[in-house]
């Protein structure tokens, strides 16, 4: 059974700092990995999707990397802003046809002004 | 463009009552999913559907039933609600694999359900 772990569970940083969020998974037979953002009381917004054949994806100040063989992914946020405060979830999709996701429990990020 | 819409947004039930949560998507997506999210935990898959008229069990299906009579709607039913089903429920959808095998899932804003 696939298990996804995110460390740390919570993180507080001053504005402007660069930071890294970590995600690990136990079964390397994945099809892709996604990073989501969740704001309080809201649904999930997809930030980045990395295919299993890719090493990284970038969108603006966000960069996600994937090391499938070691079962790890990182989300790098450059020059953090208070608006980045949210919970960040990573999820992996198996190679099966339904593409259902297995989620980590998330990292709650607070960026202090 | 509404995307994925969940109704109701909030509901309080008594133990033993039944109810249906509705998920509607206007993106012509084939695949739809129901997840639950509990405090300190990630989302867990309850049931999913890969097309109209089809459903399948996910990780935590007990106590729930689903139906996909129309492509745009995916219903989640609780026949006899229990306090352990207090949670936030999320619906998601995505295109089928012919459209793009690496398309992200699109999520609704959730239904907050409390069982007393």
């Amino acid at each position: 059974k696939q298990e996804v772990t995110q460390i740390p569970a919570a993180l507080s940083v001053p504005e402007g700092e660069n930071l890294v969020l970590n995600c690990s998974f136990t079964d390397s037979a994945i099809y892709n990995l996604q990073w989501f953002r969740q704001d309080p009381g809201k649904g999930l917004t997809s930030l980045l999707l990395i295919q299993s054949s890719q090493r990284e994806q970038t969108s603006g100040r966000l960069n996600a990397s994937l090391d499938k063989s070691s079962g790890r992914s990182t989300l790098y946020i450059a020059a953090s802003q208070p608006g980045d405060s949210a919970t960040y979830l990573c999820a992996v999709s198996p190679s099966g046809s339904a593409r259902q996701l297995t989620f980590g429990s998330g990292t709650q990020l607070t960026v202090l002004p | 463009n509404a995307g994925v819409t969940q109704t109701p947004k909030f509901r309080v039930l008594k133990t033993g009552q039944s109810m249906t949560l509705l998920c509607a998507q206007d993106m012509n997506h084939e695949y739809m999913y129901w997840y639950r999210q509990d405090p300190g935990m990630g989302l867990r898959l309850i049931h999913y559907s890969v097309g109209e008229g089809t459903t399948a069990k996910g990780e935590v299906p007990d106590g729930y039933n689903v139906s996909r009579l129309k492509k745009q709607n995916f219903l989640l039913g609780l026949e006899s609600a229990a306090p352990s089903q207090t949670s936030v429920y999320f619906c998601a959808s995505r295109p089928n694999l012919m459209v793009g095998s690496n398309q992200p899932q699109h999520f609704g804003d959730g239904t907050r359900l409390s069982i007393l």
Side-chain angles (χ1 to χ4, degrees), chain B residues 62-96:
Chain B
D62 294 342
Y64 305 95
N65 56 74
V66 288
S67 64
R68 184 96 181 270
L69 299 180
K70 294 183 179 181
K71 184 178 182 179
Q72 63 268 36
N73 296 336
F74 195 28
L75 279 62
L76 178 70
L78 287 72
E79 291 187 348
S80 179
S84 62
Q85 295 177 304
T86 293
S87 189
V88 182
Y89 292 85
F90 288 99
C91 176
S93 71
R94 59 147 288 149
N96 65 29

Short mmCIF file of all heavy atoms in Angstrom, two decimals, chain B residues 62-96:
data_model
loop_
_atom_site.label_atom_id
_atom_site.label_comp_id
_atom_site.label_asym_id
_atom_site.label_seq_id
_atom_site.Cartn_x
_atom_site.Cartn_y
_atom_site.Cartn_z
N ASP B 62 -16.50 1.94 3.27
CA ASP B 62 -17.55 1.42 4.15
C ASP B 62 -18.45 2.54 4.67
O ASP B 62 -17.97 3.54 5.18
CB ASP B 62 -16.93 0.64 5.31
CG ASP B 62 -16.22 -0.61 4.84
OD1 ASP B 62 -16.50 -1.06 3.69
OD2 ASP B 62 -15.40 -1.16 5.59
N GLY B 63 -19.76 2.30 4.59
CA GLY B 63 -20.74 3.26 5.09
C GLY B 63 -21.20 4.26 4.05
O GLY B 63 -22.05 5.11 4.34
N TYR B 64 -20.66 4.15 2.85
CA TYR B 64 -20.99 5.10 1.77
C TYR B 64 -21.45 4.35 0.52
O TYR B 64 -20.98 3.24 0.26
CB TYR B 64 -19.79 5.95 1.38
CG TYR B 64 -19.14 6.70 2.51
CD1 TYR B 64 -18.04 6.17 3.17
CD2 TYR B 64 -19.60 7.96 2.89
CE1 TYR B 64 -17.42 6.85 4.20
CE2 TYR B 64 -18.99 8.65 3.92
CZ TYR B 64 -17.90 8.10 4.57
OH TYR B 64 -17.30 8.79 5.58
N ASN B 65 -22.33 4.99 -0.24
CA ASN B 65 -22.66 4.48 -1.56
C ASN B 65 -22.61 5.64 -2.55
O ASN B 65 -22.69 6.80 -2.15
CB ASN B 65 -24.04 3.82 -1.59
CG ASN B 65 -25.14 4.74 -1.09
OD1 ASN B 65 -25.54 5.67 -1.81
ND2 ASN B 65 -25.61 4.51 0.11
N VAL B 66 -22.42 5.32 -3.82
CA VAL B 66 -22.28 6.36 -4.84
C VAL B 66 -23.09 5.97 -6.07
O VAL B 66 -23.40 4.80 -6.29
CB VAL B 66 -20.81 6.58 -5.25
CG1 VAL B 66 -20.03 7.29 -4.16
CG2 VAL B 66 -20.15 5.27 -5.64
N SER B 67 -23.41 7.00 -6.86
CA SER B 67 -24.05 6.74 -8.15
C SER B 67 -23.59 7.77 -9.16
O SER B 67 -23.35 8.94 -8.82
CB SER B 67 -25.57 6.76 -8.02
OG SER B 67 -26.03 8.03 -7.63
N ARG B 68 -23.49 7.33 -10.41
CA ARG B 68 -23.06 8.21 -11.51
C ARG B 68 -24.02 7.98 -12.67
O ARG B 68 -23.68 7.38 -13.68
CB ARG B 68 -21.62 7.86 -11.92
CG ARG B 68 -21.07 8.78 -13.00
CD ARG B 68 -20.25 9.89 -12.44
NE ARG B 68 -19.74 10.78 -13.47
CZ ARG B 68 -18.57 10.62 -14.09
NH1 ARG B 68 -17.81 9.58 -13.79
NH2 ARG B 68 -18.17 11.51 -14.99
N LEU B 69 -25.24 8.48 -12.50
CA LEU B 69 -26.27 8.28 -13.52
C LEU B 69 -26.08 9.22 -14.71
O LEU B 69 -26.45 8.91 -15.84
CB LEU B 69 -27.66 8.47 -12.91
CG LEU B 69 -28.01 7.49 -11.78
CD1 LEU B 69 -29.41 7.77 -11.26
CD2 LEU B 69 -27.89 6.05 -12.27
N LYS B 70 -25.51 10.39 -14.44
CA LYS B 70 -25.21 11.35 -15.49
C LYS B 70 -23.73 11.66 -15.46
O LYS B 70 -23.12 11.70 -14.38
CB LYS B 70 -26.02 12.64 -15.32
CG LYS B 70 -27.51 12.48 -15.49
CD LYS B 70 -28.20 13.83 -15.36
CE LYS B 70 -29.70 13.71 -15.55
NZ LYS B 70 -30.39 15.02 -15.44
N LYS B 71 -23.15 11.92 -16.59
CA LYS B 71 -21.71 12.16 -16.67
C LYS B 71 -21.27 13.32 -15.79
O LYS B 71 -20.20 13.27 -15.18
CB LYS B 71 -21.31 12.45 -18.12
CG LYS B 71 -19.83 12.62 -18.36
CD LYS B 71 -19.55 12.85 -19.83
CE LYS B 71 -18.07 12.97 -20.09
NZ LYS B 71 -17.79 13.17 -21.54
N GLN B 72 -22.10 14.36 -15.69
CA GLN B 72 -21.68 15.55 -14.98
C GLN B 72 -21.89 15.47 -13.48
O GLN B 72 -21.41 16.35 -12.75
CB GLN B 72 -22.40 16.78 -15.54
CG GLN B 72 -23.91 16.77 -15.36
CD GLN B 72 -24.64 16.17 -16.56
OE1 GLN B 72 -24.14 15.24 -17.19
NE2 GLN B 72 -25.80 16.71 -16.88
N ASN B 73 -22.60 14.45 -12.99
CA ASN B 73 -22.93 14.39 -11.57
C ASN B 73 -22.39 13.11 -10.92
O ASN B 73 -22.46 12.02 -11.50
CB ASN B 73 -24.45 14.43 -11.36
CG ASN B 73 -25.06 15.73 -11.81
OD1 ASN B 73 -24.40 16.75 -11.87
ND2 ASN B 73 -26.35 15.69 -12.15
N PHE B 74 -21.93 13.26 -9.69
CA PHE B 74 -21.45 12.12 -8.91
C PHE B 74 -22.00 12.29 -7.50
O PHE B 74 -21.68 13.27 -6.83
CB PHE B 74 -19.93 12.09 -8.91
CG PHE B 74 -19.31 10.80 -8.45
CD1 PHE B 74 -19.96 9.59 -8.61
CD2 PHE B 74 -18.03 10.78 -7.90
CE1 PHE B 74 -19.38 8.39 -8.21
CE2 PHE B 74 -17.43 9.59 -7.49
CZ PHE B 74 -18.11 8.40 -7.65
N LEU B 75 -22.87 11.38 -7.07
CA LEU B 75 -23.55 11.49 -5.79
C LEU B 75 -22.93 10.57 -4.76
O LEU B 75 -22.62 9.41 -5.06
CB LEU B 75 -25.03 11.13 -5.95
CG LEU B 75 -25.98 12.21 -6.50
CD1 LEU B 75 -25.61 12.61 -7.91
CD2 LEU B 75 -27.41 11.74 -6.43
N LEU B 76 -22.78 11.10 -3.55
CA LEU B 76 -22.26 10.31 -2.43
C LEU B 76 -23.36 10.20 -1.39
O LEU B 76 -23.85 11.23 -0.91
CB LEU B 76 -21.03 10.97 -1.82
CG LEU B 76 -20.42 10.28 -0.61
CD1 LEU B 76 -19.76 8.95 -1.01
CD2 LEU B 76 -19.39 11.18 0.07
N GLY B 77 -23.73 8.99 -1.02
CA GLY B 77 -24.81 8.77 -0.07
C GLY B 77 -24.33 8.17 1.24
O GLY B 77 -23.43 7.33 1.25
N LEU B 78 -24.93 8.65 2.31
CA LEU B 78 -24.74 8.05 3.63
C LEU B 78 -26.10 7.48 4.04
O LEU B 78 -27.05 8.24 4.23
CB LEU B 78 -24.29 9.07 4.66
CG LEU B 78 -22.85 9.59 4.61
CD1 LEU B 78 -22.64 10.53 3.43
CD2 LEU B 78 -22.51 10.29 5.91
N GLU B 79 -26.22 6.18 4.13
CA GLU B 79 -27.52 5.57 4.43
C GLU B 79 -27.90 5.71 5.89
O GLU B 79 -29.06 5.94 6.22
CB GLU B 79 -27.51 4.10 4.03
CG GLU B 79 -27.46 3.89 2.52
CD GLU B 79 -27.61 2.43 2.13
OE1 GLU B 79 -27.53 1.58 3.03
OE2 GLU B 79 -27.83 2.16 0.94
N SER B 80 -26.92 5.55 6.78
CA SER B 80 -27.17 5.66 8.22
C SER B 80 -25.94 6.31 8.84
O SER B 80 -24.96 5.64 9.16
CB SER B 80 -27.40 4.27 8.82
OG SER B 80 -27.62 4.36 10.21
N ALA B 81 -26.00 7.64 8.97
CA ALA B 81 -24.83 8.40 9.37
C ALA B 81 -24.33 8.01 10.76
O ALA B 81 -25.14 7.76 11.68
CB ALA B 81 -25.13 9.89 9.32
N ALA B 82 -23.00 7.99 10.90
CA ALA B 82 -22.36 7.69 12.18
C ALA B 82 -21.39 8.82 12.52
O ALA B 82 -20.85 9.47 11.63
CB ALA B 82 -21.59 6.37 12.08
N PRO B 83 -21.15 9.06 13.83
CA PRO B 83 -20.22 10.13 14.22
C PRO B 83 -18.85 10.02 13.54
O PRO B 83 -18.20 11.04 13.28
CB PRO B 83 -20.12 9.97 15.73
CG PRO B 83 -21.45 9.40 16.12
CD PRO B 83 -21.81 8.46 15.01
N SER B 84 -18.41 8.80 13.25
CA SER B 84 -17.10 8.61 12.59
C SER B 84 -17.07 9.16 11.17
O SER B 84 -15.98 9.28 10.57
CB SER B 84 -16.74 7.11 12.56
OG SER B 84 -17.71 6.40 11.81
N GLN B 85 -18.24 9.49 10.63
CA GLN B 85 -18.30 10.06 9.30
C GLN B 85 -18.27 11.59 9.31
O GLN B 85 -18.36 12.22 8.24
CB GLN B 85 -19.54 9.56 8.56
CG GLN B 85 -19.50 8.05 8.30
CD GLN B 85 -20.75 7.53 7.64
OE1 GLN B 85 -21.86 7.72 8.14
NE2 GLN B 85 -20.58 6.87 6.49
N THR B 86 -18.11 12.17 10.49
CA THR B 86 -17.88 13.61 10.57
C THR B 86 -16.56 13.93 9.89
O THR B 86 -15.51 13.39 10.26
CB THR B 86 -17.84 14.06 12.04
OG1 THR B 86 -19.13 13.89 12.62
CG2 THR B 86 -17.42 15.52 12.15
N SER B 87 -16.62 14.78 8.89
CA SER B 87 -15.43 15.03 8.07
C SER B 87 -15.72 16.15 7.08
O SER B 87 -16.84 16.69 7.03
CB SER B 87 -15.05 13.75 7.31
OG SER B 87 -13.80 13.87 6.67
N VAL B 88 -14.70 16.51 6.32
CA VAL B 88 -14.89 17.37 5.17
C VAL B 88 -14.77 16.51 3.92
O VAL B 88 -13.78 15.78 3.77
CB VAL B 88 -13.85 18.51 5.12
CG1 VAL B 88 -14.12 19.42 3.92
CG2 VAL B 88 -13.89 19.33 6.42
N TYR B 89 -15.76 16.59 3.06
CA TYR B 89 -15.82 15.75 1.87
C TYR B 89 -15.50 16.57 0.64
O TYR B 89 -16.07 17.65 0.42
CB TYR B 89 -17.20 15.11 1.75
CG TYR B 89 -17.46 14.10 2.84
CD1 TYR B 89 -17.95 14.50 4.08
CD2 TYR B 89 -17.19 12.75 2.64
CE1 TYR B 89 -18.16 13.58 5.10
CE2 TYR B 89 -17.40 11.81 3.65
CZ TYR B 89 -17.88 12.25 4.87
OH TYR B 89 -18.08 11.33 5.88
N PHE B 90 -14.58 16.07 -0.16
CA PHE B 90 -14.19 16.75 -1.39
C PHE B 90 -14.49 15.88 -2.59
O PHE B 90 -14.24 14.68 -2.59
CB PHE B 90 -12.69 17.08 -1.38
CG PHE B 90 -12.32 18.18 -0.45
CD1 PHE B 90 -11.78 17.93 0.79
CD2 PHE B 90 -12.52 19.51 -0.83
CE1 PHE B 90 -11.43 18.95 1.65
CE2 PHE B 90 -12.17 20.54 0.02
CZ PHE B 90 -11.64 20.26 1.27
N CYS B 91 -14.98 16.53 -3.62
CA CYS B 91 -15.19 15.90 -4.90
C CYS B 91 -14.14 16.43 -5.88
O CYS B 91 -13.73 17.58 -5.78
CB CYS B 91 -16.59 16.21 -5.41
SG CYS B 91 -16.97 15.57 -7.05
N ALA B 92 -13.71 15.58 -6.79
CA ALA B 92 -12.74 16.00 -7.80
C ALA B 92 -13.10 15.35 -9.13
O ALA B 92 -13.80 14.34 -9.19
CB ALA B 92 -11.33 15.61 -7.39
N SER B 93 -12.60 15.95 -10.20
CA SER B 93 -12.81 15.37 -11.53
C SER B 93 -11.58 15.61 -12.39
O SER B 93 -10.76 16.50 -12.10
CB SER B 93 -14.05 15.99 -12.21
OG SER B 93 -13.80 17.34 -12.58
N ARG B 94 -11.46 14.81 -13.43
CA ARG B 94 -10.37 14.98 -14.39
C ARG B 94 -10.79 14.37 -15.72
O ARG B 94 -11.69 13.54 -15.78
CB ARG B 94 -9.08 14.34 -13.90
CG ARG B 94 -9.14 12.85 -13.62
CD ARG B 94 -7.82 12.16 -13.92
NE ARG B 94 -7.58 12.06 -15.35
CZ ARG B 94 -6.35 12.08 -15.87
NH1 ARG B 94 -5.28 12.18 -15.11
NH2 ARG B 94 -6.21 12.00 -17.18
N PRO B 95 -10.12 14.79 -16.81
CA PRO B 95 -10.45 14.20 -18.12
C PRO B 95 -10.01 12.74 -18.18
O PRO B 95 -9.21 12.29 -17.37
CB PRO B 95 -9.63 15.05 -19.11
CG PRO B 95 -9.22 16.25 -18.35
CD PRO B 95 -9.12 15.85 -16.93
N ASN B 96 -10.52 12.03 -19.19
CA ASN B 96 -10.07 10.65 -19.34
C ASN B 96 -8.66 10.62 -19.94
O ASN B 96 -8.11 11.65 -20.33
CB ASN B 96 -11.04 9.82 -20.17
CG ASN B 96 -11.13 10.30 -21.62
OD1 ASN B 96 -10.19 10.84 -22.17
ND2 ASN B 96 -12.28 10.09 -22.24
#
